[in-house]
Amino acid sequence: MPRVKVARKSTAIDMTAMCDVAFLLLTFFILSAKPKSQDPVKAEIPAATSISTIPETDFATILIGSGKVFFGVEGDDVRKKTLSLMAEKYKMSFTPDEANAFSGLQSFGVPISQLHQLLAMSSKDRASLVQPGIPVDTTATNELFDWVHSARLANKFLHDKDLKIGIKGDSQEEYPTVDKVISTLQKQRVDRFNLITSLKTAK
């Protein structure tokens, strides 16, 4: 008796579940990705044999370039609290919209008297603005001291952790500006801070 031949059928694989998972992962990465912010001033940072990653919380960066000083702190909530403390110290007031705009600033470099004008600008106008830098004169007005102090208080209040400080400076920057920044930190007994560098390429 001849063997019965079973008709071959093409294998059908339901890809619906796999597509759902792929789109869920794609959505997660898009929403959780942190966009790279552009520094308000170009700084060619010095190279080192090894680098460490900048933490996403409990960290503040002081950027030095073209003789100007800029300041930024990680965390929207810490930025808002820092602004609140600075407003209290300088007897100023900021609207909720201005506070929200400030919480989105990765870094800034204007005297606090000009902060209202900076926050009123669109993000495109801010990117093209040449900021004068935060006053850091050790003999007269040292607003950087107050910004760092307020950020440290805000981070301690919100996260109950000490704020780590990083200095990101142009490799061609003049020493006096760097010295003023370090002196400002030492006045607050901040003697340990990170120097942000790029990775040195092998020759």
Side-chain angles (χ1 to χ4, degrees):
M1 183 177 180
R3 188 166 54 182
V4 179
K5 290 185 178 180
V6 180
R8 293 186 177 182
K9 296 181 180 180
S10 60
T11 305
I13 301 175
D14 188 3
M15 299 292 290
T16 306
M18 188 173 180
C19 290
D20 289 343
V21 171
F23 278 109
L24 283 173
L25 287 172
L26 180 62
T27 305
F28 170 77
F29 287 126
I30 290 174
L31 294 177
S32 62
K34 184 178 179 182
K36 184 179 180 181
S37 60
Q38 185 176 358
D39 291 330
V41 65
K42 188 176 180 181
E44 295 293 335
I45 57 178
T49 54
S50 63
I51 58 173
S52 58
T53 57
I54 298 176
E56 295 186 1
T57 58
D58 311 316
F59 194 80
T61 304
I62 299 173
L63 173 64
I64 306 171
S66 302
K68 304 174 185 177
V69 177
F70 302 82
F71 181 71
V73 61
E74 297 297 331
D76 295 356
D77 55 341
V78 180
R79 293 186 196 120
K80 281 186 177 181
K81 183 64 176 177
T82 302
L83 181 65
S84 174
L85 292 172
M86 286 293 289
E88 184 179 344
K89 181 175 181 63
Y90 283 83
K91 295 178 173 55
M92 299 175 66
S93 61
F94 293 91
T95 65
D97 288 340
E98 287 176 327
N100 289 332
F102 184 81
S103 69
L105 291 182
Q106 296 291 326
S107 183
F108 68 95
V110 296
I112 195 168
S113 59
Q114 300 177 19
L115 196 54
H116 285 293
Q117 293 90 328
L118 180 70
L119 297 177
M121 294 180 177
S122 65
S123 56
K124 184 179 180 181
D125 291 336
R126 283 193 213 111
S128 59
L129 176 69
V130 179
Q131 300 183 37
I134 297 174
V136 68
D137 193 340
T138 53
T139 57
T141 305
N142 192 340
E143 290 184 11
L144 179 65
F145 180 96
D146 297 327
W147 279 112
V148 173
H149 185 254
S150 298
R152 293 177 67 199
L153 290 176
N155 197 78
K156 190 71 174 177
F157 177 78
L158 294 172
H159 299 164
D160 196 26
K161 291 182 180 179
D162 292 330
L163 187 70
K164 295 181 179 65
I165 309 292
I167 297 177
K168 184 178 181 181
D170 192 344
S171 59
Q172 304 300 320
E173 186 60 50
E174 298 291 334
Y175 176 73
T177 306
V178 179
D179 182 52
K180 287 179 182 178
V181 170
I182 294 176
S183 297
T184 298
L185 296 177
Q186 288 177 334
K187 283 184 178 179
Q188 301 186 40
R189 296 184 179 178
V190 179
D191 297 317
R192 298 185 65 181
F193 43 83
N194 298 296
L195 295 177
I196 300 173
T197 60
S198 61
L199 187 62
K200 184 183 289 185
T201 56
K203 292 182 180 180

